[in-house]
Amino acid sequence: MKTAAIGVLLVDDHFMVRRGLAVALRVEKDLAVVAEAGNCEEMLAAYRQHRPDVVLLDWRLPGPNGAEATALLREEHPGARVLMLSALDGDEHIHLAVRAGAAGYVLKSAERGEIIQAIRAVHGGKSYFSPGLEALLHDRARKVEISPREREVLVRAAAGERNKEIGDHLGISEATVKVFMARIFQKLDARDRAHAVVIAIKRGIIDPS
């Protein structure tokens, strides 16, 4: 008896990326691209209609990002199997994806064979991470987390605002902003605010604007 192919839903806002992935996956007899989507809303609609076995999901999407889209999908369909495929390799990106319910995280720089291996693993109920990513996740668990308020301060600092401007926007004093910045420097092991912003963007704590 012939085994049914693994149905894959491709989610990426770039049409050519989806086309390339579709061509690469359709070569495999046990994989079938059942639908494509360019954003979270399209993904949810496609999932309801096609009920794919695995959702191959990019992080950067218009509207909700990959982690947020994963959370929305799994809230509606708790059994959904999501594999994140992204160019972003910050420990915070991986953490947020896993926390939202993603079963794996593969870098877009991965070879075709690795992506196929990851899809099969996730479909089989296992997790899969590109080499080195699990170590990043474990390292993050040992780091002191940035609080939501500290993240807000970082976002403002990344926009080039000075302490007084940050305080005015957040409704806190300039002195309090300085306290937050000192904590941020310590938590990120940063030399100064510019260094802190660079580290935060690289790790995925804040998005580049």
Side-chain angles (χ1 to χ4, degrees), residues 93-104:
H93 296 120
I94 305 162
H95 165 71
L96 291 174
V98 172
R99 188 176 70 179

Side-chain angles (χ1 to χ4, degrees), residues 9-56:
L9 167 58
L10 301 178
V11 187
D12 194 294
D13 61 328
H14 293 96
F15 173 77
M16 293 307 295
V17 172
R18 298 200 308 269
R19 288 290 81 202
L21 285 169
V23 170
L25 298 185
R26 282 175 177 146
V27 174
E28 302 298 315
K29 293 181 179 179
D30 64 331
L31 300 180
V33 176
V34 297
E36 299 178 19
N39 56 45
C40 180
E41 184 178 356
E42 291 177 3
M43 175 195 72
L44 293 172
Y47 193 96
R48 295 182 195 114
Q49 180 179 354
H50 299 280
R51 299 299 171 117
D53 298 302
V54 176
V55 179
L56 193 59

Side-chain angles (χ1 to χ4, degrees), residues 89 94 107 129-139:
D89 61 355
I94 305 162
L107 297 178
F129 295 87
S130 284
L133 297 191
E134 276 191 289
L136 283 177
L137 205 54
H138 292 318
D139 286 345

Side-chain angles (χ1 to χ4, degrees), residues 51-176:
R51 299 299 171 117
D53 298 302
V54 176
V55 179
L56 193 59
L57 176 63
D58 187 21
W59 177 277
R60 284 180 172 157
L61 296 173
N65 62 36
E68 293 164 343
T70 297
L72 289 170
L73 175 63
R74 285 180 56 83
E75 181 179 359
E76 185 175 325
H77 305 281
R81 304 290 295 173
V82 178
L83 174 62
M84 198 71 66
L85 179 66
S86 177
L88 303 173
D89 61 355
D91 62 322
E92 193 70 10
H93 296 120
I94 305 162
H95 165 71
L96 291 174
V98 172
R99 188 176 70 179
Y105 200 109
V106 180
L107 297 178
K108 282 189 173 180
S109 58
E111 296 289 339
R112 171 181 168 276
E114 183 185 346
I115 296 172
I116 291 168
Q117 179 186 356
I119 292 172
R120 289 171 178 156
V122 167
H123 174 253
K126 301 176 182 177
S127 60
Y128 186 95
F129 295 87
S130 284
L133 297 191
E134 276 191 289
L136 283 177
L137 205 54
H138 292 318
D139 286 345
R140 183 197 176 280
R142 294 195 292 267
K143 295 174 181 175
V144 181
E145 286 200 40
I146 295 293
S147 71
R149 187 55 125 182
E150 289 164 350
R151 183 183 178 281
E152 289 178 326
V153 170
L154 267 170
V155 168
R156 294 291 178 180
E161 294 183 6
R162 296 184 177 278
N163 289 344
K164 186 177 185 310
E165 294 173 304
I166 294 172
D168 290 343
H169 274 120
L170 299 182
I172 56 180
S173 70
E174 184 176 357
T176 301

